[in-house]
Amino acid sequence: MSDCEHPNIVPGNIRREFLGRRFEAEGEVCADCGFELWDNSLEEKYRVWINKLGLRPKVQFKVSAEADQCFRKICEELPTSLHSPVLRAMILVYLDLIGGGEKFGNIVNDAFDSEYFQRLEEGPKDKALSTEVSAALLHDLTTWGNLFDMKTNELASDAFHIIISLCISEDDKLKEFWESEIKPRLDNFLKAA
Amino acid sequence: MSPEDELRLLTVLRDKERHCIERLKAAGSLELVFWDDPNKNPPNLSRAEFERALPTIPQVQVKWSQRDSDKGKYGKTGEDQVFMFEFEVTSGRLVSTFYVKGFFFNKDDLKGVEIQSFRRERVAPRGRGKKKLKLVKS
């Protein structure tokens, strides 16, 4: 990719496709490389458009029987034991925290490295978990997935397994992180749902 | 954004003694101008992805060079120098390295940042650490 400094800006149509719908707006484009100028105003229009889509796409992935059992036990300790909102809350909390920088990044790595995560992740996966999400949440998942070069459902699966690992680990650091950072956030999301 | 938050961020952005990354984070929260590839050709990434990554960027080494052109949205009013740097993000199983290039504007009244380039340079599997944490007892 060339490092174009976008010297020739001209008016142009901005288009984006998401969930089979099309966003359109007038904007500015670079006549040399075709790149589009996304300023705060255009980004806000796009965000409003996504929030108004009114669609409820599904996120789904498969887990092992052991992971499913752990998930059910965790659900019993939360404000709701309904699986779909808990799964949605786990994804929200994970996305909320991975944007927090190095501190959570190190915890994610530790959880990922733990033998329990590996056992949960590598066992035969024949239990399907799914939840409906808002268009905005799917957009967020997709965006993080693009950043990590992962598919949306793969990232949701990682969110699930990392959080389960944090909950049930006996490592002091991970357990403390579950108690102080994860569980309170899950509680708050589920109470507000 | 409250006037107090705006003032706090402007103060950070305008303090040239602060690390470029800290100033970039402030500028990104104020006014972010981003050149987006409509065709999403890899390795180019979007504004949404940059906004997610921005808070995670550590204070890496930043290179500066003279801006070649005074064209562009803030070409005439932006700072004369562009910054460039790479940073890594890990997601448990992968390590991704990203490249950023841009400049702050306006030269005499800093209020934002124009990002000319944001792309993924490399992705590599993250080797699992040797640290073994205890298995849960059932």
Side-chain angles (χ1 to χ4, degrees):
Chain A
M1 179 210 153
S2 64
D3 270 342
C4 178
E5 295 213 344
H6 316 299
N8 295 314
I9 303 178
V10 297
N13 292 325
I14 309 285
R15 291 194 186 96
R16 284 289 182 280
E17 302 266 350
F18 184 64
L19 293 175
R21 304 286 170 88
R22 177 179 280 187
F23 166 80
E24 288 193 66
E26 296 297 315
E28 293 172 293
V29 297
C30 172
D32 288 5
C33 68
F35 275 37
E36 299 164 342
L37 186 68
W38 279 69
D39 58 14
N40 287 5
S41 165
L42 183 58
E43 183 66 20
E44 183 58 22
K45 283 180 190 164
Y46 186 58
R47 208 189 325 266
V48 167
W49 176 81
I50 287 180
N51 286 338
K52 285 183 175 174
L53 277 177
L55 300 171
R56 299 289 294 178
K58 201 182 268 192
V59 169
Q60 54 193 1
F61 50 88
K62 288 194 172 174
V63 302
S64 65
E66 194 167 354
D68 185 59
Q69 196 179 17
C70 292
F71 176 56
R72 287 170 192 279
K73 278 188 187 163
I74 291 169
C75 288
E76 287 165 15
E77 295 172 18
L78 293 170
T80 176
S81 58
L82 295 174
H83 296 170
S84 185
V86 172
L87 187 53
R88 194 160 51 242
M90 288 167 80
I91 293 169
L92 275 164
V93 167
Y94 182 76
L95 295 183
D96 190 36
L97 288 168
I98 57 175
E102 225 166 310
K103 176 187 173 188
F104 189 61
N106 292 335
I107 293 285
V108 166
N109 291 340
D110 285 347
F112 182 73
D113 289 342
S114 71
E115 290 182 42
Y116 202 82
F117 178 92
Q118 290 172 45
R119 202 172 78 186
L120 285 176
E121 222 255 338
E122 288 166 7
K125 294 178 181 175
D126 49 17
K127 300 281 182 186
L129 289 180
S130 68
T131 183
E132 284 187 348
V133 296
S134 65
L137 178 52
L138 186 72
H139 184 258
D140 219 20
L141 253 178
T142 305
T143 302
W144 278 109
N146 289 340
L147 204 51
F148 295 145
D149 200 20
M150 295 173 75
K151 293 187 169 51
T152 306
N153 288 329
E154 282 177 337
L155 186 61
S157 172
D158 266 11
F160 170 84
H161 286 95
I162 294 277
I163 290 191
I164 297 280
S165 300
L166 288 168
C167 174
I168 57 179
S169 171
E170 287 195 344
D171 176 81
D172 290 341
K173 186 172 79 169
L174 299 188
K175 198 120 194 95
E176 197 274 332
F177 194 85
W178 162 261
E179 293 293 341
S180 65
E181 300 283 351
I182 304 287
K183 190 163 184 305
R185 281 178 163 88
L186 286 173
D187 285 344
N188 288 340
F189 273 123
L190 289 166
K191 283 174 192 166
Chain B
M1 184 185 298
S2 71
E4 293 80 15
D5 283 342
E6 189 177 353
L7 182 59
R8 178 179 55 78
L9 291 168
L10 283 170
T11 304
V12 171
L13 169 58
R14 291 168 181 174
D15 182 355
K16 298 199 178 181
E17 298 298 307
R18 292 187 185 248
H19 196 286
C20 174
I21 301 299
E22 201 181 348
R23 297 176 64 212
L24 174 59
K25 289 177 181 178
S29 296
L30 287 162
E31 193 168 336
L32 173 62
V33 171
F34 189 96
W35 287 97
D36 208 293
D37 178 3
N39 299 316
K40 303 281 181 218
N41 290 319
N44 299 328
L45 295 162
S46 73
R47 174 184 166 128
E49 282 129 30
F50 181 75
E51 284 184 300
R52 301 298 183 285
L54 184 57
T56 73
I57 302 176
Q59 291 190 355
V60 293
Q61 189 175 19
V62 176
K63 292 182 186 164
W64 297 85
S65 74
Q66 203 65 15
R67 195 148 53 89
D68 290 337
S69 163
D70 68 352
K71 309 290 184 189
K73 177 83 177 177
Y74 289 100
K76 287 192 164 41
T77 59
E79 287 193 329
D80 297 327
Q81 298 221 306
V82 290
F83 55 77
M84 294 167 281
F85 60 89
E86 288 190 353
F87 69 97
E88 283 183 353
V89 175
T90 62
S91 65
R93 61 182 74 246
L94 294 171
V95 180
S96 300
T97 305
F98 302 96
Y99 169 80
V100 179
K101 179 180 172 186
F103 62 89
F104 298 115
F105 63 84
N106 295 317
K107 204 185 309 188
D108 301 320
D109 179 31
L110 289 174
K111 63 174 187 170
V113 61
E114 183 167 326
I115 300 297
Q116 296 173 313
S117 187
F118 176 53
R119 60 180 188 253
R120 186 185 298 107
E121 294 284 278
R122 292 178 292 282
V123 180
R126 181 185 148 266
R128 278 205 147 107
K130 291 182 183 160
K131 183 177 177 182
K132 289 198 174 193
L133 300 177
K134 287 184 205 169
L135 277 172
V136 171
K137 293 187 174 70
S138 55

